[in-house]
Amino acid sequence: MRTHDFITLLDRSQRRYHLLGDENCGLIIALDVEGRLFSLLDGEVISRVNPEAFMGFSDSNRYLNPGGDGFWPAPEGSCLGYEYSTAAWRVPPGLCHARWQVQKKSAYSVCISAEIDLINAQGRGLPCRFTRSISIASRPGELQQQVRESIEYLGKETLTPSQALLAPWSLCQFDCDEHCHLLLPPCPPEDLWDLYTPASDCHRRNTPEGCRVGLKTAFRFQLGLSPKVDWLEFRNPARHFLVHRTAAPLPENLHYIDIADQDCANLPGGRAVRFSAYCDPSGFMEIEAAGGTPARLCPNACTSLDITTVCRKLN
């Protein structure tokens, strides 16, 4: 999609947005669509765009996934997850319908925030403030995005790890087909695993560059990557671009957690995830970065994650 077509879609749907950089190389931040970020390179929106999500609204019967780069809380599933506060999987209405506001801005940076109340699968409510502090730098054929994702707990009670876990989680979406692949650094088996079944082994092969994962699939799969893995990269040779994502290590007061979607009867006791990659048979994928949770959630506790995403044209 060309940038001007995306702006037309935003205008037609009467959704507020903020342009960082310019229409040729920059970011469009959809303030009324989950505060999602859409990357622009050479006048094209390289992020996935689902027009239906801009012209309609999600509810308990159907989630309209907008695409772009979203900011969710983790964990997703387990008894402490945020997608199982009702009888079935559901994106929290507070996320879907948040009114993100620009707090400060300059030519190449912006800070946006929204107050979002969460309910975990135990029925415990967590009032929160979500903040995305974003800056960009560009040169011909390349866009670099620096984003600090932060969640501040606004509740008045101190919560233990058995009552609540809260970690920032960024999900960056792209359309994909048989020409696309995911590239990972060489990973020993203990640092790369499947979060769902069936397993994705048939999609993986080792190459001199690292582990290459094919993204044309008949079933959904999601890979978990341990804190020892430093980056992941989406490549689309047909559209001549790649997206490389990494994140800063966590400070000592935060620790990685099991973010996986799983039965809400389970404890979130699986392996800790730093990055993940999701692939859907409908033709899109996500490169994801997850942060950490404090040992205890005290009033005004804040958990943050610094993410660097580089979008680059392929020769």
Side-chain angles (χ1 to χ4, degrees):
M1 178 180 285
R2 298 292 297 176
T3 302
H4 63 82
D5 294 325
F6 185 43
I7 290 175
T8 298
L9 174 64
L10 287 159
D11 289 337
R12 283 179 55 216
S13 60
Q14 299 183 327
R15 306 297 181 95
R16 294 174 307 131
Y17 65 91
H18 180 82
L19 174 63
L20 195 58
D22 57 44
E23 294 185 21
N24 186 62
C25 190
L27 285 176
I28 288 178
I29 301 146
L31 297 168
D32 288 337
V33 188
E34 298 185 25
R36 295 213 174 196
L37 317 180
F38 294 82
S39 301
L40 315 175
L41 199 58
D42 287 356
E44 293 276 351
V45 184
I46 63 171
S47 307
R48 178 177 185 256
V49 177
N50 176 15
E52 188 180 16
F54 291 80
M55 301 307 296
F57 294 92
S58 297
D59 58 27
S60 59
N61 297 312
R62 184 174 62 155
Y63 174 59
L64 301 175
N65 194 326
D69 181 342
F71 178 18
W72 283 12
E76 180 175 3
S78 82
C79 64
L80 298 181
Y82 297 105
E83 271 65 42
Y84 291 95
S85 60
T86 60
W89 186 92
R90 180 186 71 155
V91 178
L95 282 175
C96 295
H97 308 307
R99 299 282 289 178
W100 289 80
Q101 305 292 333
V102 174
Q103 302 299 332
K104 57 183 178 180
K105 62 183 179 179
S106 68
Y108 297 103
S109 66
V110 66
C111 177
I112 65 171
S113 70
E115 291 192 13
I116 298 173
D117 289 351
L118 303 172
I119 304 173
N120 69 19
Q122 291 182 342
R124 188 176 303 278
L126 283 78
C128 297
R129 179 181 294 111
F130 283 52
T131 301
R132 312 191 83 174
S133 299
I134 307 152
S135 63
I136 62 169
S138 64
R139 59 185 183 182
E142 183 176 301
L143 172 70
Q144 183 176 114
Q145 306 163 197
Q146 300 278 357
V147 181
R148 170 167 286 185
E149 311 280 35
S150 302
I151 306 176
E152 182 184 2
Y153 168 61
L154 302 177
K156 60 184 180 180
E157 296 181 0
T158 295
L159 303 178
T160 67
S162 64
Q163 294 174 311
L165 297 174
L166 185 63
W169 181 23
S170 173
L171 309 90
C172 194
Q173 295 185 0
F174 302 94
D175 293 317
C176 63
D177 57 23
E178 67 275 9
H179 303 293
C180 302
H181 65 271
L182 176 73
L183 186 67
L184 305 169
C187 297
E190 62 270 21
D191 291 331
L192 169 65
W193 64 94
D194 281 278
L195 298 180
Y196 302 141
T197 55
S200 64
D201 304 57
C202 59
H203 289 267
R204 304 181 218 161
R205 64 185 178 90
N206 292 321
T207 74
E209 289 184 291
C211 178
R212 177 170 169 155
V213 183
L215 300 175
K216 180 68 174 178
T217 181
F219 57 90
R220 68 172 191 162
F221 65 85
Q222 185 174 10
L223 302 175
L225 305 175
S226 86
K228 295 181 180 179
V229 178
D230 288 327
W231 55 267
L232 70 174
E233 186 172 286
F234 169 72
R235 293 190 178 187
N236 189 330
R239 290 186 60 192
H240 308 291
F241 73 86
L242 65 78
V243 181
H244 182 95
R245 172 162 274 207
T246 188
L250 297 183
E252 291 184 359
N253 65 317
L254 301 176
H255 63 273
Y256 294 106
I257 61 171
D258 173 17
I259 68 168
D261 184 6
Q262 57 177 302
D263 192 308
C264 60
N266 296 339
L267 292 170
R271 287 185 269 186
V273 174
R274 181 181 184 187
F275 299 109
S276 58
Y278 173 79
C279 189
D280 194 273
S282 65
F284 78 92
M285 68 86 62
E286 298 173 344
I287 51 175
E288 306 174 356
T293 188
R296 297 166 70 88
L297 276 176
C298 301
N300 303 117
C302 187
T303 174
S304 298
L305 176 66
D306 292 326
I307 303 170
T308 300
T309 305
V310 178
C311 309
R312 184 181 301 127
K313 296 295 288 188
L314 290 169
N315 296 328

